[in-house]
């Protein structure tokens, strides 16, 4: 696997996002984005322009975009935050690998750890990070454990069909290199 890098999502990336969001392995677990091009633009353009408080990135492998990753202060999304219960220094994190041939090769944990270092605990300045896969998304839960996240608690979020299996990692945890490859 080549070097991983990150760049901000741009308007020009939306057709790629539209393609990825209509790929079966993504559609199964990622339901916040819509399937038409108009829905994709409606969802992600506010992130790109800064009108909504989510920081959107692509991750690249050897300079080829292979997936999408985003972070945000959980408390900047009040409807979600009241079901989670965190301080202002806690970020949320979500991602998907868009290119199906990159799934299941250990890329997700490597991307997450690099993104935590460079962005979430780096430029974004959070002190802890929470990720909330559906409790039946076993591949994601395993990938996040390999990245160093540990189970925190379950949360029922209105509009989601299954409870979120919340996992957490702090700056100190990442520094301790407690990942379990
Ligand atoms: C979740 C995701 C980011 C994980 O990244 P990844 O690089 O695929 O993760 P890994 O390769 O480390 O695999 C993690 C676990 O998934 C399982 N897995 C591996 N290949 C798999 C496959 N082809 N199909 C299903 N599960 C698989 C294994 O249990 C593996 O653990 P192991 O390495 O101990 O055997 C990625 O799979 C993905 O984007 N999935 C689709 C969208 C999604 O679920 N997003 C997360 C929403 S919370």
């Amino acid at each position: 696997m080549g070097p991983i890098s990150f760049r901000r999502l741009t308007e020009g990336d939306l057709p790629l996002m539209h393609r990825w969001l209509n790929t079966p392995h993504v559609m199964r677990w990622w339901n916040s984005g819509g399937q038409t091009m108009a829905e994709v633009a409606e969802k992600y353009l506010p992130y790109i322009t800064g009108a909504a408080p989510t920081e959107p990135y692509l991750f690249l492998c050897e300079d080829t975009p292979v997936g999408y990753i985003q972070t945000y202060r959980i408390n900047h999304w009040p409807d979600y935050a009241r079901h989670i219960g965190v301080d202002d220094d806690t970020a949320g994190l979500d991602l998907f690998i868009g290119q199906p041939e990159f799934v299941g090769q250990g890329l997700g944990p490597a991307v997450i750890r690099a993104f935590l270092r460079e962005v979430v605990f780096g430029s974004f300045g959070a002190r802890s990070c929470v990720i909330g896969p559906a409790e039946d998304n076993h591949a994601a839960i395993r990938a996040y454990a390999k990245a160093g996240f540990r189970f925190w608690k379950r949360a029922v979020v209105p509009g989601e069909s299954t409870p979120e299996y919340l996992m957490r990692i702090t700056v100190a945890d990442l520094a301790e290199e407690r990942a379990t490859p």
Side-chain angles (χ1 to χ4, degrees):
M1 194 112 17
I4 295 163
S5 58
F6 303 97
R7 71 165 170 77
R8 298 282 300 201
L9 186 73
T10 67
E11 192 170 349
D13 298 317
L14 292 181
L16 178 62
M17 287 288 283
H18 178 239
R19 176 159 65 77
W20 284 343
L21 288 164
N22 283 281
T23 305
H25 77 279
V26 178
M27 288 171 76
R28 181 162 176 220
W29 297 113
W30 188 276
N31 42 24
S32 65
Q35 261 57 65
T36 70
M37 192 58 210
E39 287 168 335
V40 171
E42 186 185 350
K43 177 79 186 178
Y44 292 95
L45 267 179
Y47 299 172
I48 292 168
T49 62
T54 288
E55 310 288 327
Y57 289 83
L58 294 184
F59 52 89
L60 297 79
C61 241
E62 286 185 354
D63 298 329
T64 301
V66 293
Y68 173 76
I69 190 164
Q70 64 183 26
T71 190
Y72 44 87
R73 301 272 167 181
I74 291 181
N75 286 347
H76 287 177
W77 290 98
D79 285 350
Y80 181 60
R82 66 196 158 89
H83 301 289
I84 308 299
V86 291
D87 63 24
D88 288 343
D89 282 338
T90 300
L93 179 66
D94 311 289
L95 76 155
F96 62 78
I97 296 173
Q99 296 296 130
E101 67 275 20
F102 283 80
V103 171
Q105 298 182 39
L107 176 64
V111 164
I112 290 167
R113 290 179 68 78
F115 193 72
L116 287 171
R117 249 183 247 110
E118 288 179 33
V119 179
V120 180
F121 298 151
S123 54
F124 196 53
R127 304 295 297 166
S128 70
C129 182
V130 168
I131 198 159
E135 67 175 358
D136 52 347
N137 191 349
H138 303 295
I141 290 169
R142 172 71 186 135
Y144 303 155
K146 284 170 25 180
F149 282 84
R150 292 294 177 266
F151 176 68
W152 177 35
K153 63 180 180 180
R154 284 184 173 77
V156 175
V157 179
E160 294 191 9
S161 52
T162 50
E164 286 195 359
Y165 182 94
L166 294 175
M167 304 173 77
R168 187 163 58 169
I169 190 170
T170 64
V171 177
D173 295 334
L174 188 71
E176 279 172 19
E177 292 288 329
R178 71 171 187 187
T180 53

